[in-house]
Amino acid sequence: MELKDLERDKWVKEAKWANDSQNIYHINATQEVMERLSEFAFPNKNKNPHIFATANAAIDLRTGEAHIPTREEGFIFQSGISYDPDAKCPTWERYLASSQPNQDTRDYLGHSAGYTMTGLTKAQAFFYLLGVPMSGKSTFMYALGELMGTYGAHANFSTFEEKYNNGTTNDNARLRDKRLVIVGEPSKR
C-alpha cells in the first residue's frame, strides 16, 4: 500500500466517524452516558432552581439571602459577577429609563430577567424583544447575558429551524440546563 492510499483510508475513516457521530442514536447514547457521569461527578448539580451562584456567593432568589457556596451544592454554572447586596446601578437605571420610558414595561423586563435567573420552567416562557433598530434590545440582552455567565448561552437561529429530512445536529446539546439562550435575528432569505 502506498502512502497516498494510507492517507486516503485515514481520511475515509475520519469522515465516516464524523458522519456517524451526528447520528441521533449516537448523540442520544453519548448524552445518556454523560448524564450518568455527570450525576456521579456532580450528584447535586444545580438541583435547586431558586439558587443563583455568583462569583462570590450563592443567592436564594426567593429571599435574597446569600451564602458561600459549598462543593456539595454542585454548582456547575455561575455568574461571573460578584454579589453586592448594597450595589447601585445608576448607569443601568438611566439606560432602562431612556430605552423603555414606560414604567410598566421596565417592571416587566425586571420580572422577566428575574424569572430567567431561576431554573424554573413552569411558566414555559419565551421572551421576544421587538422594536425599531437601535432601541436598546441588544444592549439589554448583552447585559443579561453577562449577568447570567455560564447559566446562559448564545445560539444561532438555525438551531431551532426545521431540518431537512428531520436531520438533527448537536447544537441543542450544549443548551441543556441553561437558564437563558440568546438568539439573534434570523437571516433574511
Side-chain angles (χ1 to χ4, degrees):
M1 219 181 226
E2 290 185 31
L3 183 58
K4 260 186 181 177
D5 292 334
L6 288 173
E7 288 175 4
R8 189 176 69 75
D9 286 348
K10 181 181 176 191
W11 183 88
V12 168
K13 286 178 184 174
E14 288 175 355
K16 182 181 180 335
W17 176 85
N19 190 47
D20 288 349
S21 68
Q22 294 183 34
N23 176 294
I24 191 67
Y25 172 79
H26 293 289
I27 292 171
N28 288 340
T30 301
Q31 184 174 348
E32 188 176 318
V33 168
M34 293 309 293
E35 283 175 0
R36 279 194 239 128
L37 289 174
S38 176
E39 290 300 318
F40 176 75
F42 302 100
N44 299 318
K45 82 169 178 159
N46 299 324
K47 291 293 185 196
N48 188 338
H50 298 285
I51 302 296
F52 187 80
T54 68
N56 64 339
I59 306 163
D60 187 323
L61 297 172
R62 295 167 295 189
T63 64
E65 293 177 12
H67 66 275
I68 303 299
T70 64
R71 181 177 177 87
E72 291 75 30
E73 288 177 289
F75 295 114
I76 59 172
F77 301 130
Q78 87 171 48
S79 169
I81 309 293
S82 292
Y83 175 65
D84 177 356
D86 300 318
K88 303 291 183 229
C89 204
T91 304
W92 179 248
E93 296 295 330
R94 279 193 307 276
Y95 155 75
L96 280 178
S98 68
S99 66
Q100 292 299 327
N102 182 296
Q103 183 63 47
D104 290 340
T105 302
R106 289 197 305 273
D107 291 345
Y108 180 77
L109 287 172
H111 289 293
S112 300
Y115 186 77
T116 300
M117 290 173 69
T118 74
L120 300 174
T121 57
K122 280 186 351 186
Q124 297 184 6
F126 178 88
F127 301 107
Y128 181 84
L129 300 182
L130 180 65
V132 298
M134 305 297 292
S135 60
K137 301 179 301 294
S138 295
T139 301
F140 180 82
M141 291 311 300
Y142 177 79
L144 188 56
E146 286 294 305
L147 169 69
M148 295 299 289
T150 58
Y151 283 105
H154 290 264
N156 291 323
F157 190 85
S158 63
T159 301
F160 306 99
E161 291 179 319
E162 187 175 352
K163 307 289 189 272
Y164 171 74
N165 226 4
N166 287 331
T168 58
T169 67
N170 59 0
D171 291 354
N172 58 357
R174 66 184 182 79
L175 304 180
R176 182 178 173 87
D177 294 328
K178 296 296 184 180
R179 296 182 180 186
L180 171 71
V181 177
I182 298 173
V183 181
E185 296 179 32
S187 60
K188 293 179 173 78
R189 295 179 187 203

